[in-house]
């Protein structure tokens, strides 16, 4: 029985990559996952989509090869074979790298703009049981006054997040500081599941994670950021992935560099510039479409592909026409707004924090079931005491 459970856990890990169905992540379909006790299904092979630029390169190379003599063609085939072998070796090296998960705790404590301990309980249970298993997990929470730096730049930053009403409000044994109480409960769950928790004063979790990700990569690990926050897409690389909670599918889903390139046909380094145009409604960062409705994703992508980055685009627009009249006017009029968005949305990677060796050890998951069951039962008991609805296992 133990070996079967272990096999099923391994199967879950290997088959957790799905494709997303919403506008931000359109790659994953919410299909059910059936597991045979005797023989798991064969993992489907995903055919990566090619960039549009690749087709022109292929056509040009084929036209050249038609003019080459046979010997040159043989040399080309040998070079292609060597390239293919090199790519296979690089892929094998990446697969051998150990993974370190970074858990964006605060983001999991929200349903929309409202804080919810139920949301945290649901997603952390699925995360430990189906995603990270015994791999190292480092949890990161926002430090006190963590968003003041960004609020000074953009006062609307996270202004629409409401302070949630605790389920423990009517129980006399809990202190009046409801947010502090919920924070302590979350930390107790993480500590009980043998997860180190990092909190840096005056810094948001996003910046701490970005800093630590670079440190673990330099040590030869792969980093996986567990968060629904789109800010982390600017970190995507061959060694950095994101795993997202997908409420419609009721599961976590990996989002990789290949997914991003297939979605936007550009490098993730351009993602930050793109999001300066699109904004972030959840975090209170207005996009340019609020001021110029016709200036959307398509226009922004077209301009960024040509100029590479937001600053390059704005510099070019200041001296010459770079697009249609409405786009040119918007770039001139709202250049300062776009630069402020860039400052707010870019992740800092110089936070004063250092990875500890003990954080990179495999996580002891023997307490998970007991700790999480007790936490969920506490939520149920409290709701029953308050006459509220019972805990919904779907979050």
């Amino acid at each position: 029985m133990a070996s079967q459970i272990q096999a099923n856990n391994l199967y879950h890990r290997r088959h957790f990559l799905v494709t997303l169905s919403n506008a931000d992540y359109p790659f994953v379909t919410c299909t059910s996952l059936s597991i045979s006790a005797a023989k798991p299904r064969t993992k489907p092979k995903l055919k990566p989509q090619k960039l549009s630029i690749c087709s022109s390169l292929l056509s040009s190379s084929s036209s050249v090869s038609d003019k080459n003599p046979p010997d040159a063609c043989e040399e080309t085939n040998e070079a292609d074979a060597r390239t293919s072998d090199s790519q296979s070796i690089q892929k094998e090296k990446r697969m051998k790298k150990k993974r370190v998960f970074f858990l964006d705790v605060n983001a999991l404590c929200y349903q929309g703009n409202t804080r919810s301990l139920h949301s945290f309980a649901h997603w952390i249970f699925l995360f430990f049981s189906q995603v990270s298993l015994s791999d190292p997990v480092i949890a990161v929470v926002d430090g006190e006054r963590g968003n003041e730096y960004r609020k000074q730049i953009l006062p609307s930053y996270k202004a629409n997040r409401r302070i949630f009403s605790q389920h423990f409000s009517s129980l006399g044994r809990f202190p009046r500081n409801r947010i502090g109480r919920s924070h302590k409960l979350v930390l107790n769950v993480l500590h009980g599941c043998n997860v180190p928790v990092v909190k840096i004063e005056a810094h948001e979790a996003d910046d701490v994670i970005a800093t630590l990700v670079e440190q673990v990569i330099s040590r030869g690990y792969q980093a996986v950021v567990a968060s629904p926050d789109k800010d982390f897409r600017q970190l995507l690389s061959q060694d950095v992935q994101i795993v997202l909670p997908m409420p419609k599918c009721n599961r976590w889903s990996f989002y990789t560099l290949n997914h991003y390139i297939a979605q936007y046909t550009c490098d993730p380094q351009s993602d930050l510039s793109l999001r300066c145009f699109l904004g972030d409604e959840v975090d209170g960062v207005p996009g340019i479409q609020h001021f110029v409705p016709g200036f959307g994703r398509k226009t922004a992508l077209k301009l960024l592909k040509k100029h590479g980055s937001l600053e390059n685009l704005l510099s070019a627009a200041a001296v010459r026409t770079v697009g249609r009249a409405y786009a040119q006017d918007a770039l001139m009029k709202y250049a300062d707004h776009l630069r402020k968005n860039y400052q707010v949305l870019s992740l800092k990677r110089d936070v004063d924090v250092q990875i500890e060796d003990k954080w990179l050890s495999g996580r002891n998951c023997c307490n998970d079931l007991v700790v999480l069951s007790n936490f969920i039962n506490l939520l149920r008991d409290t709701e029953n005491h308050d006459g509220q609805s019972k805990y919904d296992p779907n979050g």
Side-chain angles (χ1 to χ4, degrees), residues 277 302-323 327-332 335 339:
F277 286 97
K302 181 179 180 180
L303 292 172
L304 288 173
K305 285 179 182 179
K306 183 177 181 180
H307 296 276
S309 69
L310 174 65
E311 192 56 42
N312 289 345
L313 174 58
L314 294 178
S315 298
V319 296
R320 67 177 187 273
T321 300
V322 296
Q328 180 70 23
D329 292 343
L331 293 173
M332 296 294 292
R339 288 190 172 101

Side-chain angles (χ1 to χ4, degrees), residues 47-84:
K47 295 182 179 180
Q49 300 181 29
K50 299 181 183 296
L51 298 177
S52 57
I53 191 173
C54 293
S55 59
S56 60
L57 291 174
L58 290 173
S59 61
S60 61
S61 63
S62 63
S63 61
V64 172
S65 64
D66 289 340
K67 299 178 181 179
N68 288 339
D71 291 342
C73 292
E74 291 177 4
E75 292 178 0
T76 301
N77 291 336
E78 291 177 1
D80 290 342
R82 288 193 297 269
T83 301
S84 178

Side-chain angles (χ1 to χ4, degrees), residues 121 125 189 193 367-381:
F125 177 82
V189 169
C193 294
N367 297 332
D368 289 3
L369 185 59
V370 173
V371 172
L372 294 173
S373 296
N374 289 341
F375 180 56
I376 292 172
N377 288 336
L378 176 62
L379 296 181
R380 285 173 173 160
D381 293 344

Side-chain angles (χ1 to χ4, degrees), residues 150 203-211 346-349 351:
R150 289 179 170 88
H203 289 286
E204 289 191 272
D206 298 12
D207 299 320
V208 178
I209 290 174
T211 301
S346 60
L347 299 181
K348 296 192 292 182
R349 321 207 183 168
V351 178

